[in-house]
Amino acid sequence: MEKKNCQSILVVEDDTKVRNLIKIYLDRDGYEVIEADNGVVTKTIIEKSHPCMLILDLMIPGINGEKICRWIREDLKSNMPIIMLTAKAAEKDRINGFKLGADDYIVKPFSPEELMVRIKAVLRRTGSHCGTLRFHGLTLKIVAREAWIQNKKLDLTHFEFTILMTFMKHPGQVLSREQILNYIYKNNEKAVSNRTIDVHIKHLREKINTQTPKNYIQTVRGVGYKLVD
């Protein structure tokens, strides 16, 4: 079966029967599956394999699911879609799950068919590019916060990486400075001015141009910038 446009889905579940059941349905729908049964292995897989989605049981050995979710959102600054799949059914648990950054919350026992529908809905909302972005020789590994161009790693600051990620999520689209800031600071807490964007883009261009003569980031006079091949 042809694989979906998604690098892989990491299923974190210490109950082997439940994990195998989820894998059967994911395989059936053409997704690539990675498995883990504890928090320590989960962190290692995320850092090395950069899955495009996480299906996360909260009550797992080693490092629990809440800590894994907090690590992804706060330490890695990753928007990887996370579906919590857990026996914790109380309203306060569901609310806490969403506060930690879950994109969906499913209580056990669950319907595998419903899980598949929810996976597709979350991927549709967030985009299947959450693990790795590619654009004509440029590659971004979002979880690892790594940028590569033609197999050469770019040494980017946090802000430069975030700007490049914004462009790569909207290739060919003209983005104003205000739009770029809004994508970066979704809560509207803007820590930089519009013109500061110009400085960061200038530095980003210089670093890209040390590896290739291509001018990926084009200035659209009077409007903003866009990513082009």
Side-chain angles (χ1 to χ4, degrees), residues 41-87:
V41 172
T42 298
K43 290 185 71 173
T44 300
I45 291 173
I46 290 173
E47 290 174 327
K48 292 184 177 180
S49 300
H50 318 299
C52 78
M53 170 177 275
L54 178 62
I55 299 174
L56 179 64
D57 182 16
L58 298 183
M59 295 181 286
I60 52 175
I63 304 171
N64 66 37
E66 286 96 341
K67 291 180 179 178
I68 291 292
C69 191
R70 187 179 293 111
W71 170 71
I72 291 170
R73 296 295 188 241
E74 296 180 4
D75 295 345
L76 297 183
K77 308 296 183 185
S78 171
N79 292 321
M80 176 200 305
I82 299 173
I83 296 179
M84 291 183 174
L85 183 63
T86 175

Short mmCIF file of all heavy atoms in Angstrom, two decimals, residues 41-87:
data_model
loop_
_atom_site.label_atom_id
_atom_site.label_comp_id
_atom_site.label_asym_id
_atom_site.label_seq_id
_atom_site.Cartn_x
_atom_site.Cartn_y
_atom_site.Cartn_z
N VAL A 41 12.58 5.78 25.97
CA VAL A 41 12.71 5.40 24.56
C VAL A 41 12.00 6.42 23.67
O VAL A 41 12.47 6.77 22.59
CB VAL A 41 12.13 3.99 24.33
CG1 VAL A 41 12.07 3.66 22.85
CG2 VAL A 41 12.98 2.95 25.06
N THR A 42 10.86 6.92 24.14
CA THR A 42 10.10 7.91 23.37
C THR A 42 10.94 9.14 23.07
O THR A 42 10.97 9.63 21.93
CB THR A 42 8.83 8.31 24.14
OG1 THR A 42 8.00 7.16 24.31
CG2 THR A 42 8.06 9.39 23.41
N LYS A 43 11.62 9.67 24.09
CA LYS A 43 12.45 10.87 23.88
C LYS A 43 13.56 10.60 22.87
O LYS A 43 13.84 11.44 22.00
CB LYS A 43 13.04 11.34 25.21
CG LYS A 43 12.02 11.93 26.17
CD LYS A 43 12.67 12.50 27.41
CE LYS A 43 13.45 13.77 27.13
NZ LYS A 43 13.94 14.42 28.37
N THR A 44 14.17 9.44 22.96
CA THR A 44 15.25 9.10 22.04
C THR A 44 14.75 9.02 20.61
O THR A 44 15.37 9.54 19.67
CB THR A 44 15.89 7.75 22.43
OG1 THR A 44 16.42 7.85 23.76
CG2 THR A 44 17.02 7.38 21.47
N ILE A 45 13.59 8.39 20.42
CA ILE A 45 13.02 8.25 19.08
C ILE A 45 12.67 9.61 18.50
O ILE A 45 12.95 9.91 17.33
CB ILE A 45 11.78 7.34 19.11
CG1 ILE A 45 12.18 5.89 19.41
CG2 ILE A 45 11.01 7.42 17.78
CD1 ILE A 45 11.01 4.96 19.61
N ILE A 46 12.07 10.47 19.31
CA ILE A 46 11.67 11.79 18.83
C ILE A 46 12.89 12.60 18.39
O ILE A 46 12.89 13.26 17.34
CB ILE A 46 10.88 12.54 19.91
CG1 ILE A 46 9.50 11.89 20.09
CG2 ILE A 46 10.74 14.03 19.56
CD1 ILE A 46 8.71 12.44 21.25
N GLU A 47 13.97 12.51 19.16
CA GLU A 47 15.18 13.27 18.83
C GLU A 47 15.87 12.75 17.58
O GLU A 47 16.47 13.52 16.83
CB GLU A 47 16.15 13.23 20.01
CG GLU A 47 15.68 14.03 21.21
CD GLU A 47 16.57 13.87 22.42
OE1 GLU A 47 17.13 12.76 22.62
OE2 GLU A 47 16.70 14.83 23.19
N LYS A 48 15.78 11.43 17.33
CA LYS A 48 16.53 10.83 16.22
C LYS A 48 15.68 10.63 14.96
O LYS A 48 16.19 10.75 13.85
CB LYS A 48 17.14 9.49 16.65
CG LYS A 48 18.24 9.63 17.69
CD LYS A 48 18.87 8.28 18.01
CE LYS A 48 20.03 8.43 18.99
NZ LYS A 48 20.65 7.12 19.32
N SER A 49 14.40 10.31 15.13
CA SER A 49 13.59 9.91 13.98
C SER A 49 12.61 10.99 13.50
O SER A 49 12.09 10.90 12.40
CB SER A 49 12.80 8.63 14.30
OG SER A 49 13.68 7.58 14.61
N HIS A 50 12.33 11.98 14.34
CA HIS A 50 11.47 13.11 13.97
C HIS A 50 10.13 12.66 13.40
O HIS A 50 9.80 12.97 12.25
CB HIS A 50 12.19 14.01 12.97
CG HIS A 50 13.63 14.24 13.30
ND1 HIS A 50 14.02 14.85 14.46
CD2 HIS A 50 14.76 13.93 12.62
CE1 HIS A 50 15.35 14.91 14.50
NE2 HIS A 50 15.81 14.34 13.40
N PRO A 51 9.33 11.91 14.17
CA PRO A 51 8.03 11.49 13.67
C PRO A 51 7.12 12.67 13.40
O PRO A 51 7.31 13.75 13.97
CB PRO A 51 7.48 10.61 14.80
CG PRO A 51 8.20 11.08 16.03
CD PRO A 51 9.56 11.47 15.57
N CYS A 52 6.13 12.47 12.54
CA CYS A 52 5.25 13.58 12.19
C CYS A 52 4.03 13.66 13.10
O CYS A 52 3.29 14.63 13.04
CB CYS A 52 4.82 13.49 10.73
SG CYS A 52 3.54 12.28 10.41
N MET A 53 3.82 12.65 13.93
CA MET A 53 2.72 12.69 14.89
C MET A 53 3.03 11.75 16.04
O MET A 53 3.74 10.76 15.89
CB MET A 53 1.40 12.27 14.23
CG MET A 53 0.26 12.06 15.22
SD MET A 53 -1.32 11.64 14.45
CE MET A 53 -1.92 13.30 14.12
N LEU A 54 2.47 12.09 17.22
CA LEU A 54 2.66 11.26 18.41
C LEU A 54 1.30 10.86 18.97
O LEU A 54 0.45 11.70 19.23
CB LEU A 54 3.44 12.07 19.47
CG LEU A 54 3.70 11.40 20.82
CD1 LEU A 54 4.55 10.16 20.65
CD2 LEU A 54 4.37 12.39 21.77
N ILE A 55 1.10 9.54 19.11
CA ILE A 55 -0.06 9.01 19.83
C ILE A 55 0.45 8.57 21.18
O ILE A 55 1.25 7.63 21.28
CB ILE A 55 -0.72 7.85 19.06
CG1 ILE A 55 -1.21 8.34 17.69
CG2 ILE A 55 -1.89 7.27 19.86
CD1 ILE A 55 -1.74 7.24 16.81
N LEU A 56 0.02 9.23 22.23
CA LEU A 56 0.71 9.17 23.52
C LEU A 56 -0.19 8.69 24.65
O LEU A 56 -1.17 9.34 25.01
CB LEU A 56 1.26 10.56 23.85
CG LEU A 56 2.01 10.75 25.16
CD1 LEU A 56 3.29 9.92 25.19
CD2 LEU A 56 2.32 12.23 25.38
N ASP A 57 0.16 7.54 25.23
CA ASP A 57 -0.45 7.10 26.47
C ASP A 57 0.19 7.90 27.61
O ASP A 57 1.40 8.15 27.59
CB ASP A 57 -0.20 5.60 26.66
CG ASP A 57 -0.85 5.05 27.93
OD1 ASP A 57 -1.72 5.73 28.50
OD2 ASP A 57 -0.46 3.95 28.35
N LEU A 58 -0.61 8.32 28.57
CA LEU A 58 -0.07 9.17 29.64
C LEU A 58 0.59 8.36 30.75
O LEU A 58 1.58 8.79 31.33
CB LEU A 58 -1.18 10.05 30.23
CG LEU A 58 -1.83 11.04 29.25
CD1 LEU A 58 -2.86 11.90 29.98
CD2 LEU A 58 -0.77 11.91 28.60
N MET A 59 0.06 7.18 31.02
CA MET A 59 0.58 6.37 32.14
C MET A 59 1.56 5.34 31.62
O MET A 59 1.26 4.15 31.51
CB MET A 59 -0.58 5.73 32.91
CG MET A 59 -1.46 6.76 33.61
SD MET A 59 -2.83 6.06 34.55
CE MET A 59 -3.94 5.55 33.23
N ILE A 60 2.77 5.82 31.28
CA ILE A 60 3.82 4.95 30.75
C ILE A 60 5.00 4.96 31.71
O ILE A 60 5.21 5.91 32.46
CB ILE A 60 4.27 5.41 29.35
CG1 ILE A 60 4.64 6.90 29.35
CG2 ILE A 60 3.20 5.10 28.32
CD1 ILE A 60 5.21 7.39 28.04
N PRO A 61 5.80 3.88 31.72
CA PRO A 61 6.95 3.80 32.63
C PRO A 61 8.04 4.82 32.28
O PRO A 61 8.11 5.33 31.16
CB PRO A 61 7.48 2.37 32.41
CG PRO A 61 6.40 1.64 31.71
CD PRO A 61 5.62 2.65 30.93
N GLY A 62 8.89 5.07 33.24
CA GLY A 62 10.05 5.94 33.01
C GLY A 62 9.71 7.40 33.13
O GLY A 62 9.79 7.99 34.21
N ILE A 63 9.31 8.00 32.05
CA ILE A 63 8.89 9.40 32.01
C ILE A 63 7.43 9.40 31.56
O ILE A 63 7.12 8.88 30.48
CB ILE A 63 9.75 10.22 31.02
CG1 ILE A 63 11.23 10.10 31.37
CG2 ILE A 63 9.32 11.68 31.03
CD1 ILE A 63 12.16 10.70 30.33
N ASN A 64 6.54 9.96 32.37
CA ASN A 64 5.12 9.85 32.02
C ASN A 64 4.76 10.74 30.83
O ASN A 64 5.53 11.60 30.40
CB ASN A 64 4.23 10.12 33.23
CG ASN A 64 4.32 11.57 33.71
OD1 ASN A 64 4.43 12.50 32.93
ND2 ASN A 64 4.26 11.75 35.03
N GLY A 65 3.55 10.51 30.31
CA GLY A 65 3.12 11.20 29.11
C GLY A 65 3.02 12.71 29.27
O GLY A 65 3.30 13.46 28.33
N GLU A 66 2.59 13.16 30.46
CA GLU A 66 2.50 14.61 30.69
C GLU A 66 3.87 15.27 30.55
O GLU A 66 4.00 16.34 29.92
CB GLU A 66 1.92 14.90 32.08
CG GLU A 66 0.43 14.66 32.19
CD GLU A 66 0.14 13.28 32.75
OE1 GLU A 66 1.04 12.41 32.71
OE2 GLU A 66 -1.00 13.08 33.23
N LYS A 67 4.90 14.65 31.11
CA LYS A 67 6.25 15.21 31.03
C LYS A 67 6.78 15.18 29.60
O LYS A 67 7.48 16.10 29.17
CB LYS A 67 7.19 14.46 31.97
CG LYS A 67 6.90 14.70 33.45
CD LYS A 67 7.87 13.93 34.35
CE LYS A 67 7.57 14.20 35.80
NZ LYS A 67 8.47 13.42 36.71
N ILE A 68 6.45 14.11 28.86
CA ILE A 68 6.86 14.02 27.45
C ILE A 68 6.23 15.17 26.66
O ILE A 68 6.90 15.85 25.86
CB ILE A 68 6.44 12.68 26.84
CG1 ILE A 68 7.26 11.52 27.44
CG2 ILE A 68 6.60 12.70 25.32
CD1 ILE A 68 8.72 11.52 27.06
N CYS A 69 4.94 15.39 26.88
CA CYS A 69 4.23 16.45 26.17
C CYS A 69 4.81 17.82 26.50
O CYS A 69 5.04 18.65 25.62
CB CYS A 69 2.75 16.40 26.51
SG CYS A 69 1.71 17.42 25.46
N ARG A 70 5.07 18.06 27.78
CA ARG A 70 5.65 19.34 28.19
C ARG A 70 7.03 19.54 27.59
O ARG A 70 7.40 20.64 27.16
CB ARG A 70 5.72 19.41 29.73
CG ARG A 70 6.16 20.77 30.26
CD ARG A 70 6.19 20.80 31.77
NE ARG A 70 4.86 20.68 32.34
CZ ARG A 70 4.44 19.63 33.02
NH1 ARG A 70 5.24 18.59 33.19
NH2 ARG A 70 3.22 19.61 33.52
N TRP A 71 7.82 18.48 27.54
CA TRP A 71 9.17 18.54 26.95
C TRP A 71 9.10 18.90 25.47
O TRP A 71 9.88 19.73 24.98
CB TRP A 71 9.85 17.19 27.14
CG TRP A 71 11.13 16.99 26.40
CD1 TRP A 71 12.33 17.58 26.65
CD2 TRP A 71 11.34 16.12 25.27
NE1 TRP A 71 13.28 17.14 25.76
CE2 TRP A 71 12.70 16.24 24.90
CE3 TRP A 71 10.53 15.25 24.56
CZ2 TRP A 71 13.25 15.52 23.83
CZ3 TRP A 71 11.07 14.53 23.50
CH2 TRP A 71 12.41 14.67 23.14
N ILE A 72 8.15 18.32 24.75
CA ILE A 72 8.00 18.60 23.32
C ILE A 72 7.62 20.06 23.09
O ILE A 72 8.19 20.74 22.24
CB ILE A 72 6.95 17.66 22.70
CG1 ILE A 72 7.49 16.23 22.66
CG2 ILE A 72 6.58 18.12 21.28
CD1 ILE A 72 6.43 15.20 22.28
N ARG A 73 6.65 20.54 23.87
CA ARG A 73 6.14 21.89 23.65
C ARG A 73 7.07 22.97 24.22
O ARG A 73 7.30 24.00 23.56
CB ARG A 73 4.75 22.04 24.28
CG ARG A 73 3.68 21.15 23.65
CD ARG A 73 3.41 21.55 22.21
NE ARG A 73 2.26 20.83 21.65
CZ ARG A 73 2.32 20.04 20.62
NH1 ARG A 73 3.48 19.83 20.00
NH2 ARG A 73 1.25 19.43 20.16
N GLU A 74 7.62 22.76 25.40
CA GLU A 74 8.38 23.82 26.06
C GLU A 74 9.87 23.76 25.77
O GLU A 74 10.50 24.80 25.53
CB GLU A 74 8.14 23.76 27.58
CG GLU A 74 6.69 24.02 27.97
CD GLU A 74 6.48 23.97 29.47
OE1 GLU A 74 7.48 23.79 30.21
OE2 GLU A 74 5.32 24.10 29.90
N ASP A 75 10.46 22.58 25.77
CA ASP A 75 11.90 22.47 25.55
C ASP A 75 12.25 22.40 24.06
O ASP A 75 13.15 23.12 23.60
CB ASP A 75 12.46 21.24 26.27
CG ASP A 75 12.33 21.34 27.78
OD1 ASP A 75 12.10 22.46 28.27
OD2 ASP A 75 12.47 20.32 28.47
N LEU A 76 11.55 21.56 23.32
CA LEU A 76 11.84 21.43 21.90
C LEU A 76 11.18 22.53 21.07
O LEU A 76 11.55 22.74 19.92
CB LEU A 76 11.38 20.06 21.39
CG LEU A 76 12.05 18.84 21.98
CD1 LEU A 76 11.52 17.57 21.30
CD2 LEU A 76 13.57 18.91 21.85
N LYS A 77 10.18 23.21 21.64
CA LYS A 77 9.42 24.23 20.91
C LYS A 77 8.82 23.65 19.62
O LYS A 77 8.78 24.29 18.58
CB LYS A 77 10.31 25.43 20.56
CG LYS A 77 11.07 26.03 21.72
CD LYS A 77 10.16 26.62 22.76
CE LYS A 77 10.96 27.28 23.88
NZ LYS A 77 10.07 27.76 24.97
N SER A 78 8.36 22.41 19.71
CA SER A 78 7.85 21.70 18.53
C SER A 78 6.33 21.74 18.48
O SER A 78 5.65 21.65 19.51
CB SER A 78 8.31 20.24 18.56
OG SER A 78 7.67 19.50 17.55
N ASN A 79 5.80 21.87 17.26
CA ASN A 79 4.36 21.82 17.04
C ASN A 79 3.90 20.44 16.57
O ASN A 79 2.82 20.30 16.00
CB ASN A 79 3.96 22.87 16.00
CG ASN A 79 4.14 24.28 16.51
OD1 ASN A 79 3.86 24.57 17.67
ND2 ASN A 79 4.62 25.17 15.66
N MET A 80 4.73 19.42 16.78
CA MET A 80 4.35 18.07 16.40
C MET A 80 2.95 17.75 16.94
O MET A 80 2.68 17.91 18.12
CB MET A 80 5.34 17.06 16.98
CG MET A 80 4.97 15.61 16.73
SD MET A 80 5.77 14.47 17.88
CE MET A 80 7.49 14.88 17.66
N PRO A 81 2.02 17.30 16.09
CA PRO A 81 0.69 16.94 16.58
C PRO A 81 0.76 15.82 17.61
O PRO A 81 1.46 14.83 17.41
CB PRO A 81 -0.04 16.49 15.32
CG PRO A 81 0.68 17.14 14.20
CD PRO A 81 2.11 17.18 14.62
N ILE A 82 0.02 15.98 18.68
CA ILE A 82 -0.01 14.99 19.77
C ILE A 82 -1.45 14.61 20.05
O ILE A 82 -2.29 15.47 20.33
CB ILE A 82 0.64 15.53 21.05
CG1 ILE A 82 2.11 15.90 20.81
CG2 ILE A 82 0.51 14.52 22.19
CD1 ILE A 82 2.76 16.60 21.99
N ILE A 83 -1.75 13.32 19.97
CA ILE A 83 -3.04 12.79 20.39
C ILE A 83 -2.81 11.99 21.66
O ILE A 83 -2.08 11.00 21.66
CB ILE A 83 -3.68 11.90 19.32
CG1 ILE A 83 -4.01 12.71 18.06
CG2 ILE A 83 -4.96 11.24 19.86
CD1 ILE A 83 -4.63 11.90 16.95
N MET A 84 -3.39 12.43 22.76
CA MET A 84 -3.30 11.69 24.01
C MET A 84 -4.35 10.59 24.01
O MET A 84 -5.53 10.84 23.75
CB MET A 84 -3.49 12.62 25.20
CG MET A 84 -2.35 13.59 25.41
SD MET A 84 -2.58 14.63 26.88
CE MET A 84 -1.03 15.50 26.91
N LEU A 85 -3.91 9.36 24.31
CA LEU A 85 -4.79 8.19 24.33
C LEU A 85 -4.62 7.55 25.70
O LEU A 85 -3.58 6.94 25.99
CB LEU A 85 -4.40 7.22 23.22
CG LEU A 85 -5.25 5.97 23.04
CD1 LEU A 85 -6.68 6.33 22.67
CD2 LEU A 85 -4.64 5.07 21.98
N THR A 86 -5.61 7.71 26.58
CA THR A 86 -5.38 7.40 27.98
C THR A 86 -6.65 6.94 28.69
O THR A 86 -7.77 7.18 28.22
CB THR A 86 -4.83 8.65 28.70
OG1 THR A 86 -4.70 8.40 30.10
CG2 THR A 86 -5.76 9.84 28.49
N ALA A 87 -6.44 6.27 29.82
CA ALA A 87 -7.57 5.86 30.65
C ALA A 87 -8.02 6.97 31.58
O ALA A 87 -9.04 6.84 32.27
CB ALA A 87 -7.18 4.62 31.46
#
